[in-house]
Amino acid sequence: MDEAAVVERVKSLEIETPSWGYGNSGTRFHVYPWPGAARDVHERIADAALVHRLTGCCPSVALHIPWDAVDDYGALRALAQEQGIRIGAINPNLFGDDAYRLGSLCHPDTGVRAAAIRHCLQCVEIAKEVGSSLVSLWLPDGTNYPGQDDLRARHARLTEGLEKVYSALPPGMRLLVEYKFFEPAFYATDLPDWGTAALVCRRLGPQAQVLVDTGHHPQGTNIEQIVAVLLAEGLLGGFHFNNRKYADDDLIVGSVDPFELFRIMREIALGDSAGVAFMIDQSHNVEGKIDAMIQSVMNIQTAYAKALLVDEGRLTEAQAAGDVLGAHRTLLEAFETDVRPLLARVRTEVGVAPDPVEAFRAGGHAARLADERGTASVESAYERT
Ligand code: RM4
Ligand code: MN
Ligand code: MN
């Protein structure tokens, strides 16, 4: 692909940022409050809008309910619009309630399951009110000990609950089903992997698709292959981008393993990714939130630009000729290309600074926000799972 075509493709890549990435967050050991971190949904939307103004490619913000719950969703939708963005995926929260000790949609008790379903249905309504076409579901359900519950019964409860949620989706709305292999449950997770998520989505119907959170796999998993297969099967609904070293670390995407991000974006560059939602799911524990979010967005753009630069002709030839290392080198060549000038061109053409992190740092935003908002008390911080 020539440079002009790559520029156009990168320009069309939209990345959604998460409201929860703008507030204070921490580990189970401590939350270090960050001066100026967003304290409520209005400030989180304002920060997402600032990231969009600085990057030019983040026109939507994902919400977590009830973390971002308000009385008037029409007003929230208008607030986002006034600031130049829109509300994106609505994320139900099925882990933040005492009733969910033994699970939510898979809980052995009918009453708890019904409450979990009601919450999901409420999120479908919220999505309608804010004008979003995505409900993004991650279940914390699972068991800690062999024998604790019946695995097949839990799977049956899962599909039964999801069928009720699915049937409430209006035309055009999609249910994204996110998997994760462990945590908070440590023995068996009810939606542990992409295979289970894909089976569930197939059963539900075309409005259900799989969400790949890059941090939700065992060490060594070939995520790009999962992406390739889901794309080929029309089952890839979206991403939660982040990076990890050990578990579900939620670090800046591309910070630990930029080559993995490149390999994932390469599959995106090759396939039909029209309906894929590119979302970030991160929590920034020791660093500035907005700074980190902009860096994340830039890392995704960098990986995508490199992925688009692969010399497809040469690669196909090498693959057909069985030239193993010739093919591999073709891929590496693209990865090793310095795409900073190309991305500077993309950004100049869309009217933002060539280096948005630099623009954020030079713009005095951090000092202004610290001044306006102060340093929030730790009690207001999220507990992340
Ligand atoms: C989970 C998962 C979900 C996110 C929660 C807070 O590990 O990644 O997407 O909403 O964390
Ligand atoms: Mn996630
Ligand atoms: Mn996660």
Side-chain angles (χ1 to χ4, degrees):
M1 197 179 291
D2 65 17
E3 187 174 314
V6 174
V7 166
E8 288 315 308
R9 286 281 293 269
V10 176
K11 269 192 205 166
S12 66
L13 180 71
E14 293 186 347
I15 300 162
E16 181 163 303
T17 70
S19 70
W20 57 96
Y22 295 108
N24 280 316
S25 74
T27 63
R28 63 200 166 95
F29 300 102
H30 193 63
V31 178
Y32 300 99
W34 186 265
R39 295 163 298 179
D40 59 30
V41 63
H42 305 103
E43 293 180 353
R44 297 194 269 271
I45 288 179
D47 290 359
L50 174 59
V51 168
H52 181 48
R53 283 200 297 284
L54 290 168
T55 60
C57 64
C58 302
S60 62
V61 58
L63 299 187
H64 227 296
I65 306 296
W67 292 340
D68 296 313
V70 291
D71 292 331
D72 185 349
Y73 286 98
L76 205 62
R77 176 185 188 163
L79 175 85
Q81 255 161 15
E82 277 158 28
Q83 305 199 27
I85 59 171
R86 61 173 196 275
I87 293 174
I90 300 298
N91 291 246
N93 181 318
L94 295 171
F95 49 85
D97 198 295
D98 293 350
Y100 296 143
R101 184 172 62 92
L102 301 178
S104 61
L105 294 179
C106 306
H107 197 286
D109 181 77
T110 329
V112 177
R113 292 206 296 281
I117 293 169
R118 269 200 308 279
H119 174 62
C120 294
L121 297 179
Q122 184 204 4
C123 287
V124 172
E125 290 308 311
I126 293 172
K128 287 185 201 164
E129 285 177 51
V130 298
S132 167
S133 59
L134 291 178
V135 169
S136 186
L137 188 70
W138 172 69
L139 284 189
D141 291 43
T143 51
N144 266 5
Y145 296 96
Q148 179 186 323
D149 199 357
D150 183 291
L151 297 178
R152 267 174 293 175
R154 292 185 73 91
H155 182 69
R157 295 173 207 145
L158 171 72
T159 49
E160 195 189 308
L162 286 178
E163 270 160 10
K164 291 196 175 123
V165 178
Y166 186 86
S167 62
L169 297 176
M173 191 179 288
R174 280 182 297 155
L175 178 70
L176 303 185
V177 180
E178 181 174 357
Y179 59 90
K180 170 165 158 168
F181 75 115
F182 89 115
E183 198 192 37
F186 296 115
Y187 164 64
T189 297
D190 293 301
L191 262 172
D193 50 35
W194 71 277
T196 311
L199 281 175
V200 165
C201 289
R202 271 272 154 88
R203 183 185 197 144
L204 291 175
Q207 284 170 260
Q209 286 180 310
V210 180
L211 185 144
V212 176
D213 182 314
T214 47
H216 287 191
H217 306 88
Q219 300 277 15
T221 301
N222 185 332
I223 301 174
E224 62 270 25
Q225 189 174 21
I226 295 171
V227 171
V229 172
L230 288 175
L231 261 181
E233 295 289 333
L235 279 168
L236 184 66
F239 284 97
H240 268 177
F241 283 117
N242 50 52
N243 214 168
R244 55 76 73 81
K245 177 71 182 151
Y246 299 106
D248 187 20
D249 305 339
D250 285 335
L251 301 175
I252 292 175
V253 56
S255 60
V256 177
D257 192 347
F259 187 48
E260 178 183 69
L261 181 58
F262 163 80
R263 299 191 311 265
I264 292 171
M265 292 313 283
R266 154 111 182 113
E267 295 307 324
I268 292 299
L270 280 178
D272 173 13
S273 60
V276 178
F278 299 96
M279 303 178 282
I280 290 173
D281 177 10
Q282 290 173 187
S283 57
H284 310 116
N285 298 343
V286 297
E287 68 273 46
K289 324 298 167 199
I290 298 174
D291 207 330
M293 203 61 84
I294 299 171
Q295 185 64 63
S296 310
V297 170
M298 291 173 72
N299 286 355
I300 297 170
Q301 287 181 315
T302 300
Y304 191 45
K306 290 182 177 191
L308 290 164
L309 283 172
V310 172
D311 185 335
E312 299 298 340
R314 193 145 60 84
L315 183 64
T316 313
E317 260 173 47
Q319 287 174 344
D323 181 1
V324 176
L325 294 183
H328 177 59
R329 277 169 60 84
T330 305
L331 214 62
L332 283 189
E333 216 171 86
F335 177 64
E336 285 164 358
T337 307
D338 180 2
V339 293
R340 285 172 298 182
L342 187 151
L343 290 175
R345 182 176 153 193
V346 167
R347 296 185 184 120
T348 309
E349 288 183 20
V350 301
V352 301
D355 182 343
V357 165
E358 213 29 64
F360 171 74
R361 292 189 163 206
H365 301 285
R368 173 179 56 81
L369 292 172
D371 205 40
E372 280 170 21
R373 299 172 180 173
T375 304
S377 66
V378 171
E379 285 73 43
S380 72
Y382 300 135
E383 268 181 37
R384 293 275 307 189
T385 45

